[in-house]
Amino acid sequence: MTLSNAGSVLATLTQLTQLNRTSVLTHRVKDLSLPEFICLLDFITAEFQQFLRALEMINHEALETMLEQVMEAFTLKIGQLLQAERTTIFLVDGDKDQLWAKIPSGEDNAAKEVRIPLNVGLAGHVATTGESLNITKAYNHPLFNPEVDESPGYHTNSLLCMPIVSSNKKIVAVVQLLNKAGGVPFDEEDEQRFRDFAASIGIILETCQSFYMAARNQRGAAALLKATQYLGQSLDLEATLRLVMDQARELMKADRSTLFMLSKDDGELWSKVATADGKEMMEIRISANRGIAGYVASTGQPLNIADAYKDPRFDPTTDKKTGYVTRNILCMPVFNSGGELIGVTQLINKNQGSFTTSDEEFMRAFNIQAGIALENAKLFENVLLEKQYQKDILQSLSDAVISTDMQGRIVTINDAALGLLGCPLQQLDNRNRQLWEEKLTNRYVWEVVPIEHLQFRLQDSLTTGAKHYLPEQNLMVGLFQCPLEDIEIPNTPPYCQSHDDTHLYLLAIPKSDDPKTYSLWNEDDDNSGYLGYLSKQQIQPIERSINLTVNPLTNPQGMVRGGLVVLEDISREKRLKTTMYRYMTPEVADEVLALGEDALMQGSKKDVTILFSDIRGYTTLTENLGASEVVSLLNKYFETMVESVFEHKGTLDKFIGDALMAVFGAPLALKENHGWMAVQSALDMRWRLAKFNEPRMRNRQPLIHIGIGISSGEVVSGNIGSHKRMDYTVIGDGVNLSARLESITKEYGCDIIISEYTYNLCRHNVWVRELDKIRVKGKNQAVSIYHLIQDIDTPLNDKTHKFLALYAKGRQAYISRDFSKAIVYFEQAYQLEPNDKPVLIHIERAKHYQNNPPPDYWDGVHTMTRK
C-alpha cells in the first residue's frame, strides 16, 4: 500500500519543525489507518537512512578523496559531452578571492593544485561577473591571459567559459573548456547543453562544500574534545601542549604546529620544536615582540601569511637552527578566561595551498577552548608544584622526623626515625613495628633519643617558639635481639608472643649515669621486664652522627601547638669526610662533599698536573733497619711531603711503596694555575727534604734523596676499581709521563724534572734549563724535558747564571749539529760544575756524533730504552 502525499508529510514536518510547531505531525498521523501509518514509517525510515549515510560520509576520513573523485568524474564527463580537448573546473574560494582547481601533472598524473586571482583571465572574469564567454580565437581576446587560461605546453584556439551557480544563485565554480574537437568553435547548442546540467552540478558542488564544512566541523569538535581530554588527564603540561597542537595540525592539514607559551617575567615566548629530521626536540625562546609569533603576542592580532619570506616581520632564525623551510603561516593568539594573552598558536605550511579565513575562524574557536583548558591545566600544575614544594620541604626534614605535643611527648615517629634508632625495618612485621611504636609513642622524646641538649632545646622551642640547629651531635643506642623460643616474657602483648620470627628486636638505651649499662626502652628495672639491665656485651651498639634541628609547630595564627625534632644522619658523610681528609685538604674535601657523591663516582676528563716523587736508593737505605724503623722513617717522611701537597691544594692520589703520587686540579678544578701549584709543591718538597735530613746528618745517618717528575695534560678522573674495592684516581698519558720523568731523574742526576707541558704553564715563574728532548719507551711523540732549578723570585748567583748560559749555548750548538762547538761550550760549563751529569752526557753524545755523524733526519731526540 502507498501513502498518498507522503513526501508532503515529511516536507511539512521539516518546515513546521523550523517554526517550532512540531505538534502538527501528531494531528496529521492520528487519522491514518494502520497500513497508511506503516507506509509513513517506511518512508521516513528511508529518509533517515539517507541522513545516516550522510553522517557516515561526514565522519569518514576519506571524504575529501571522494569529493576529488566526484570533481574528476564531472570534469571528464563535461569534456566528453561538449567534445573539448581540455576541461577544467575552477572552484571559487571566496575567503581568498581566488579560483582553484586540481589538475593532473607529471607522468603519474598526480593532482597539482592551481590557484589564480579572481580578477585575472577569462575564468576570473566569468567568476566575478557571471557572464559566459564563448571565444573562437582566444589569443585575440583582450581578457585572455596565457599564464592562467592556458595549460603549460598547450596552444588554445577556441574557448568556452561558463559559470556554475548554487541554489541561492551564488557562483560556486567556473568550467573552462578548450579547443572543441574537429577544430570548430563552440556554439550556442554547446552552451545550452551545458546549462541543462549546470544547475544540478551547482547543487552538487554546494552540497559537497557543505559536506566538507560539516566534516571539518565534526573533526574540529572531535579534536577539541580529544585535546580537552588530554589536558584533563595529563599532568605533564608540555606533553599535553604537544598533543593539543598535534590535533590542530592534523585538523588543519598543516605540516607543523607550535604553541608558544608567554613568559611574562622573561618577556619571552618559549616552546619545543622538532629538528628537521624529527629525531630530537629542541627548546626555542624568542623575544615576545620579535618575529611573527612575537608580533601576534605583542598586538593580540592574528596573522595569516601566504609567503613567510616575503613578510618583513618573519624571522628566519629558527629555520636556520632547525634546517626547516617555512612557506605559509597562520598565527593566532591564545587568551585565558580573563582575556589575558597566555600564548600563541602557530600553524606552518598547509599541505595544499595556504590558510583561509575559515581556517582562522576555526582556530579562533579552537584557541578559546585551548586557552580555557590550558589555564585550568596551568592552575592545576601550580597546585601540584605547590604541593610538591611542600612535600619536598617535608622530605628534607623527614630523614628522621618526630613530632611532639606541648610537653615534649612523642606524637608521631616515621620509619626513618625508627631506622635511625636501630629498628631493623626490613626484618619487621606489623606486630613488631606496633611494639616499637607503642613503646615510643607518648614517651618524652629525650628519653628515647638520648642526645645532649635535646630536652633544653625542645622545651625552649615549645615555650618561646625558638628554632635550634645543632650540627654533628652523637647518638648512642643499642639493639637487643630477644630469642623467643627460650624466653617467656611476663605481661607481653599477644603480638609479641605469637611472633613468627625467632627473635624480637628491642631498643636498648644507655643509662645517663652509667654509659656501659643499658635498659630496654629506657625504662627502669620494674618496667623493663624480667631481663633487667643489660651490659654493652649483650647488645649491638649503634653509634650515629647527626645534625639536630628543633622547630616549633604552629597554627595559622602563629601559636605554638607542638614541636618537631628532625634528625639528619650524617654518619656516612662523616666517615667519608674523615677518609677524604687523608687525601686532600679539609677545604677541598668539604667542596667535594658539597657537590655530592657523584663528583667522585662519575668519571670525567680534566686538565691536571701530576707529581710523582720517589726515594732514591731506598733498598740500600733501609737494609740495615728493622721493620718498625722502616715504617717510622716512611711515616715521618711522608707526613712532611703530604703537607707540601696539601699546602698547594693538591690531592694525594696514592702511596706506592716509597713513592708518592699527587694530582693538582682534580677532583676539583683549581682557580690557580695547577702546573704552577705542582711546581711550587715540588720546590717545597726539596726544601722540606733538606730540613728532614739535617738531624740525620747530625746523627750520621744516611741521607734521603728523592726524584720528582711532573707533567701536565688531560686525564680521566673517577672512582676506579672493582665492586669490592674502588679508589679515586686519575689515568692518562700525563700520569704515565710524570712517572717516567721521575724515573729518569736518576739518569740525568737531577732531583726535579718537568715536561714541556708543565713548563708552558709556568714558564714565567721558574728558572729552568732544557735537559733534553726525549722519546720515552712505548711512545712515538717526543717531549722536551726541563730541570727545575728555582722559582723566579729566588735570585741566582753569577756562577749559576754563567753556567746556565754556557749550557744553553751548548744545547743550541748540539741541536744544530755543530758538535765541535757544542763540546767547547759544554767543557766550559764542566769547569764550573764538574759533577753536573747532563753536561757529561752531552759531551759524551757530542763526541760520539763528531766521529759518527747522525743521519740527515736526526732531530736531536734521544730515545729512552727503558722505563
Side-chain angles (χ1 to χ4, degrees), residues 422-442:
C423 179
L425 297 173
Q426 301 301 323
Q427 303 177 47
L428 293 183
D429 61 15
N430 290 333
R431 290 166 295 181
N432 208 165
R433 179 190 298 275
Q434 185 179 351
L435 171 64
W436 276 73
E437 292 177 348
E438 183 177 295
K439 283 290 187 179
L440 297 179
T441 303
N442 209 34

PDB file of all heavy atoms in Angstrom, residues 422-442:
ATOM      1  N   GLY A 422      67.837   2.255  65.208  1.00  0.00           N
ATOM      2  CA  GLY A 422      68.315   0.875  65.124  1.00  0.00           C
ATOM      3  C   GLY A 422      67.263  -0.136  64.766  1.00  0.00           C
ATOM      4  O   GLY A 422      67.568  -1.327  64.641  1.00  0.00           O
ATOM      5  N   CYS A 423      66.033   0.279  64.604  1.00  0.00           N
ATOM      6  CA  CYS A 423      64.966  -0.662  64.285  1.00  0.00           C
ATOM      7  C   CYS A 423      65.220  -1.280  62.907  1.00  0.00           C
ATOM      8  O   CYS A 423      65.283  -0.560  61.909  1.00  0.00           O
ATOM      9  CB  CYS A 423      63.622   0.046  64.313  1.00  0.00           C
ATOM     10  SG  CYS A 423      62.234  -1.014  63.914  1.00  0.00           S
ATOM     11  N   PRO A 424      65.353  -2.610  62.807  1.00  0.00           N
ATOM     12  CA  PRO A 424      65.608  -3.263  61.508  1.00  0.00           C
ATOM     13  C   PRO A 424      64.335  -3.341  60.684  1.00  0.00           C
ATOM     14  O   PRO A 424      63.624  -4.350  60.677  1.00  0.00           O
ATOM     15  CB  PRO A 424      66.122  -4.653  61.915  1.00  0.00           C
ATOM     16  CG  PRO A 424      65.485  -4.918  63.233  1.00  0.00           C
ATOM     17  CD  PRO A 424      65.327  -3.595  63.922  1.00  0.00           C
ATOM     18  N   LEU A 425      64.032  -2.280  59.951  1.00  0.00           N
ATOM     19  CA  LEU A 425      62.749  -2.161  59.258  1.00  0.00           C
ATOM     20  C   LEU A 425      62.524  -3.285  58.251  1.00  0.00           C
ATOM     21  O   LEU A 425      61.389  -3.723  58.048  1.00  0.00           O
ATOM     22  CB  LEU A 425      62.677  -0.806  58.547  1.00  0.00           C
ATOM     23  CG  LEU A 425      62.714   0.423  59.464  1.00  0.00           C
ATOM     24  CD1 LEU A 425      62.822   1.689  58.642  1.00  0.00           C
ATOM     25  CD2 LEU A 425      61.482   0.469  60.353  1.00  0.00           C
ATOM     26  N   GLN A 426      63.573  -3.767  57.623  1.00  0.00           N
ATOM     27  CA  GLN A 426      63.412  -4.804  56.612  1.00  0.00           C
ATOM     28  C   GLN A 426      63.054  -6.151  57.219  1.00  0.00           C
ATOM     29  O   GLN A 426      62.573  -7.044  56.529  1.00  0.00           O
ATOM     30  CB  GLN A 426      64.706  -4.947  55.780  1.00  0.00           C
ATOM     31  CG  GLN A 426      65.129  -3.675  55.066  1.00  0.00           C
ATOM     32  CD  GLN A 426      64.080  -3.176  54.108  1.00  0.00           C
ATOM     33  OE1 GLN A 426      63.405  -3.968  53.457  1.00  0.00           O
ATOM     34  NE2 GLN A 426      63.914  -1.858  54.015  1.00  0.00           N
ATOM     35  N   GLN A 427      63.310  -6.323  58.523  1.00  0.00           N
ATOM     36  CA  GLN A 427      63.069  -7.608  59.170  1.00  0.00           C
ATOM     37  C   GLN A 427      61.826  -7.600  60.059  1.00  0.00           C
ATOM     38  O   GLN A 427      61.538  -8.564  60.743  1.00  0.00           O
ATOM     39  CB  GLN A 427      64.287  -8.001  60.019  1.00  0.00           C
ATOM     40  CG  GLN A 427      65.583  -8.055  59.217  1.00  0.00           C
ATOM     41  CD  GLN A 427      66.777  -8.379  60.085  1.00  0.00           C
ATOM     42  OE1 GLN A 427      66.724  -9.304  60.891  1.00  0.00           O
ATOM     43  NE2 GLN A 427      67.848  -7.625  59.934  1.00  0.00           N
ATOM     44  N   LEU A 428      61.097  -6.498  60.073  1.00  0.00           N
ATOM     45  CA  LEU A 428      59.950  -6.370  60.960  1.00  0.00           C
ATOM     46  C   LEU A 428      58.660  -6.751  60.260  1.00  0.00           C
ATOM     47  O   LEU A 428      58.495  -6.509  59.078  1.00  0.00           O
ATOM     48  CB  LEU A 428      59.825  -4.929  61.462  1.00  0.00           C
ATOM     49  CG  LEU A 428      60.920  -4.403  62.394  1.00  0.00           C
ATOM     50  CD1 LEU A 428      60.571  -3.000  62.834  1.00  0.00           C
ATOM     51  CD2 LEU A 428      61.113  -5.297  63.591  1.00  0.00           C
ATOM     52  N   ASP A 429      57.747  -7.366  61.027  1.00  0.00           N
ATOM     53  CA  ASP A 429      56.390  -7.482  60.546  1.00  0.00           C
ATOM     54  C   ASP A 429      55.555  -6.413  61.249  1.00  0.00           C
ATOM     55  O   ASP A 429      56.058  -5.642  62.070  1.00  0.00           O
ATOM     56  CB  ASP A 429      55.825  -8.891  60.765  1.00  0.00           C
ATOM     57  CG  ASP A 429      55.783  -9.261  62.247  1.00  0.00           C
ATOM     58  OD1 ASP A 429      55.917  -8.348  63.089  1.00  0.00           O
ATOM     59  OD2 ASP A 429      55.610 -10.448  62.554  1.00  0.00           O
ATOM     60  N   ASN A 430      54.301  -6.337  60.946  1.00  0.00           N
ATOM     61  CA  ASN A 430      53.457  -5.293  61.501  1.00  0.00           C
ATOM     62  C   ASN A 430      53.364  -5.349  63.015  1.00  0.00           C
ATOM     63  O   ASN A 430      53.266  -4.327  63.681  1.00  0.00           O
ATOM     64  CB  ASN A 430      52.056  -5.373  60.880  1.00  0.00           C
ATOM     65  CG  ASN A 430      52.063  -4.966  59.413  1.00  0.00           C
ATOM     66  OD1 ASN A 430      52.907  -4.188  59.000  1.00  0.00           O
ATOM     67  ND2 ASN A 430      51.132  -5.514  58.651  1.00  0.00           N
ATOM     68  N   ARG A 431      53.416  -6.566  63.565  1.00  0.00           N
ATOM     69  CA  ARG A 431      53.283  -6.678  65.015  1.00  0.00           C
ATOM     70  C   ARG A 431      54.516  -6.139  65.734  1.00  0.00           C
ATOM     71  O   ARG A 431      54.416  -5.485  66.759  1.00  0.00           O
ATOM     72  CB  ARG A 431      53.034  -8.150  65.391  1.00  0.00           C
ATOM     73  CG  ARG A 431      51.678  -8.660  64.969  1.00  0.00           C
ATOM     74  CD  ARG A 431      51.581 -10.163  65.039  1.00  0.00           C
ATOM     75  NE  ARG A 431      52.488 -10.797  64.093  1.00  0.00           N
ATOM     76  CZ  ARG A 431      52.597 -12.113  63.937  1.00  0.00           C
ATOM     77  NH1 ARG A 431      51.853 -12.915  64.665  1.00  0.00           N
ATOM     78  NH2 ARG A 431      53.422 -12.618  63.054  1.00  0.00           N
ATOM     79  N   ASN A 432      55.696  -6.432  65.169  1.00  0.00           N
ATOM     80  CA  ASN A 432      56.914  -5.915  65.795  1.00  0.00           C
ATOM     81  C   ASN A 432      57.012  -4.394  65.657  1.00  0.00           C
ATOM     82  O   ASN A 432      57.438  -3.681  66.561  1.00  0.00           O
ATOM     83  CB  ASN A 432      58.136  -6.574  65.171  1.00  0.00           C
ATOM     84  CG  ASN A 432      59.322  -6.637  66.128  1.00  0.00           C
ATOM     85  OD1 ASN A 432      60.268  -7.360  65.904  1.00  0.00           O
ATOM     86  ND2 ASN A 432      59.277  -5.884  67.211  1.00  0.00           N
ATOM     87  N   ARG A 433      56.557  -3.898  64.493  1.00  0.00           N
ATOM     88  CA  ARG A 433      56.521  -2.447  64.302  1.00  0.00           C
ATOM     89  C   ARG A 433      55.561  -1.817  65.317  1.00  0.00           C
ATOM     90  O   ARG A 433      55.833  -0.757  65.877  1.00  0.00           O
ATOM     91  CB  ARG A 433      56.079  -2.112  62.879  1.00  0.00           C
ATOM     92  CG  ARG A 433      56.002  -0.603  62.599  1.00  0.00           C
ATOM     93  CD  ARG A 433      55.336  -0.354  61.255  1.00  0.00           C
ATOM     94  NE  ARG A 433      56.095  -0.945  60.178  1.00  0.00           N
ATOM     95  CZ  ARG A 433      57.123  -0.347  59.567  1.00  0.00           C
ATOM     96  NH1 ARG A 433      57.477   0.869  59.941  1.00  0.00           N
ATOM     97  NH2 ARG A 433      57.759  -0.944  58.593  1.00  0.00           N
ATOM     98  N   GLN A 434      54.442  -2.483  65.550  1.00  0.00           N
ATOM     99  CA  GLN A 434      53.468  -1.962  66.510  1.00  0.00           C
ATOM    100  C   GLN A 434      54.083  -1.888  67.907  1.00  0.00           C
ATOM    101  O   GLN A 434      53.807  -0.958  68.666  1.00  0.00           O
ATOM    102  CB  GLN A 434      52.227  -2.854  66.520  1.00  0.00           C
ATOM    103  CG  GLN A 434      51.099  -2.330  67.394  1.00  0.00           C
ATOM    104  CD  GLN A 434      49.879  -3.228  67.354  1.00  0.00           C
ATOM    105  OE1 GLN A 434      49.802  -4.149  66.563  1.00  0.00           O
ATOM    106  NE2 GLN A 434      48.934  -2.953  68.233  1.00  0.00           N
ATOM    107  N   LEU A 435      54.945  -2.867  68.230  1.00  0.00           N
ATOM    108  CA  LEU A 435      55.621  -2.843  69.526  1.00  0.00           C
ATOM    109  C   LEU A 435      56.496  -1.605  69.663  1.00  0.00           C
ATOM    110  O   LEU A 435      56.454  -0.907  70.683  1.00  0.00           O
ATOM    111  CB  LEU A 435      56.466  -4.107  69.690  1.00  0.00           C
ATOM    112  CG  LEU A 435      57.409  -4.129  70.904  1.00  0.00           C
ATOM    113  CD1 LEU A 435      56.617  -4.095  72.204  1.00  0.00           C
ATOM    114  CD2 LEU A 435      58.323  -5.345  70.861  1.00  0.00           C
ATOM    115  N   TRP A 436      57.291  -1.304  68.614  1.00  0.00           N
ATOM    116  CA  TRP A 436      58.164  -0.132  68.656  1.00  0.00           C
ATOM    117  C   TRP A 436      57.347   1.146  68.788  1.00  0.00           C
ATOM    118  O   TRP A 436      57.657   2.000  69.621  1.00  0.00           O
ATOM    119  CB  TRP A 436      59.026  -0.083  67.386  1.00  0.00           C
ATOM    120  CG  TRP A 436      60.261  -0.930  67.466  1.00  0.00           C
ATOM    121  CD1 TRP A 436      60.317  -2.277  67.420  1.00  0.00           C
ATOM    122  CD2 TRP A 436      61.598  -0.468  67.627  1.00  0.00           C
ATOM    123  NE1 TRP A 436      61.620  -2.715  67.532  1.00  0.00           N
ATOM    124  CE2 TRP A 436      62.433  -1.611  67.651  1.00  0.00           C
ATOM    125  CE3 TRP A 436      62.179   0.786  67.729  1.00  0.00           C
ATOM    126  CZ2 TRP A 436      63.808  -1.525  67.798  1.00  0.00           C
ATOM    127  CZ3 TRP A 436      63.560   0.867  67.861  1.00  0.00           C
ATOM    128  CH2 TRP A 436      64.364  -0.266  67.903  1.00  0.00           C
ATOM    129  N   GLU A 437      56.320   1.268  67.970  1.00  0.00           N
ATOM    130  CA  GLU A 437      55.520   2.497  68.021  1.00  0.00           C
ATOM    131  C   GLU A 437      54.809   2.631  69.358  1.00  0.00           C
ATOM    132  O   GLU A 437      54.691   3.732  69.907  1.00  0.00           O
ATOM    133  CB  GLU A 437      54.517   2.492  66.863  1.00  0.00           C
ATOM    134  CG  GLU A 437      55.185   2.625  65.488  1.00  0.00           C
ATOM    135  CD  GLU A 437      54.177   2.555  64.362  1.00  0.00           C
ATOM    136  OE1 GLU A 437      53.012   2.187  64.631  1.00  0.00           O
ATOM    137  OE2 GLU A 437      54.555   2.867  63.207  1.00  0.00           O
ATOM    138  N   GLU A 438      54.343   1.504  69.899  1.00  0.00           N
ATOM    139  CA  GLU A 438      53.648   1.553  71.194  1.00  0.00           C
ATOM    140  C   GLU A 438      54.603   1.933  72.310  1.00  0.00           C
ATOM    141  O   GLU A 438      54.248   2.691  73.217  1.00  0.00           O
ATOM    142  CB  GLU A 438      53.008   0.193  71.473  1.00  0.00           C
ATOM    143  CG  GLU A 438      52.196   0.149  72.762  1.00  0.00           C
ATOM    144  CD  GLU A 438      51.525  -1.193  72.950  1.00  0.00           C
ATOM    145  OE1 GLU A 438      50.659  -1.535  72.129  1.00  0.00           O
ATOM    146  OE2 GLU A 438      51.885  -1.907  73.908  1.00  0.00           O
ATOM    147  N   LYS A 439      55.829   1.412  72.252  1.00  0.00           N
ATOM    148  CA  LYS A 439      56.808   1.696  73.303  1.00  0.00           C
ATOM    149  C   LYS A 439      57.335   3.130  73.235  1.00  0.00           C
ATOM    150  O   LYS A 439      57.728   3.700  74.252  1.00  0.00           O
ATOM    151  CB  LYS A 439      57.977   0.714  73.205  1.00  0.00           C
ATOM    152  CG  LYS A 439      57.678  -0.681  73.747  1.00  0.00           C
ATOM    153  CD  LYS A 439      57.539  -0.652  75.259  1.00  0.00           C
ATOM    154  CE  LYS A 439      57.410  -2.049  75.852  1.00  0.00           C
ATOM    155  NZ  LYS A 439      57.292  -1.997  77.336  1.00  0.00           N
ATOM    156  N   LEU A 440      57.374   3.705  72.011  1.00  0.00           N
ATOM    157  CA  LEU A 440      57.963   5.040  71.855  1.00  0.00           C
ATOM    158  C   LEU A 440      56.926   6.154  71.935  1.00  0.00           C
ATOM    159  O   LEU A 440      57.222   7.244  72.446  1.00  0.00           O
ATOM    160  CB  LEU A 440      58.704   5.127  70.508  1.00  0.00           C
ATOM    161  CG  LEU A 440      59.902   4.179  70.340  1.00  0.00           C
ATOM    162  CD1 LEU A 440      60.517   4.345  68.958  1.00  0.00           C
ATOM    163  CD2 LEU A 440      60.947   4.410  71.414  1.00  0.00           C
ATOM    164  N   THR A 441      55.719   5.910  71.432  1.00  0.00           N
ATOM    165  CA  THR A 441      54.695   6.959  71.432  1.00  0.00           C
ATOM    166  C   THR A 441      54.301   7.318  72.870  1.00  0.00           C
ATOM    167  O   THR A 441      54.192   6.461  73.739  1.00  0.00           O
ATOM    168  CB  THR A 441      53.466   6.489  70.646  1.00  0.00           C
ATOM    169  OG1 THR A 441      53.874   6.143  69.320  1.00  0.00           O
ATOM    170  CG2 THR A 441      52.426   7.588  70.556  1.00  0.00           C
ATOM    171  N   ASN A 442      54.116   8.604  73.058  1.00  0.00           N
ATOM    172  CA  ASN A 442      53.721   9.182  74.354  1.00  0.00           C
ATOM    173  C   ASN A 442      54.850   9.181  75.373  1.00  0.00           C
ATOM    174  O   ASN A 442      54.614   9.465  76.551  1.00  0.00           O
ATOM    175  CB  ASN A 442      52.490   8.456  74.933  1.00  0.00           C
ATOM    176  CG  ASN A 442      51.667   9.384  75.798  1.00  0.00           C
ATOM    177  OD1 ASN A 442      51.566  10.588  75.530  1.00  0.00           O
ATOM    178  ND2 ASN A 442      51.071   8.847  76.849  1.00  0.00           N
TER     179      ASN A 442
END
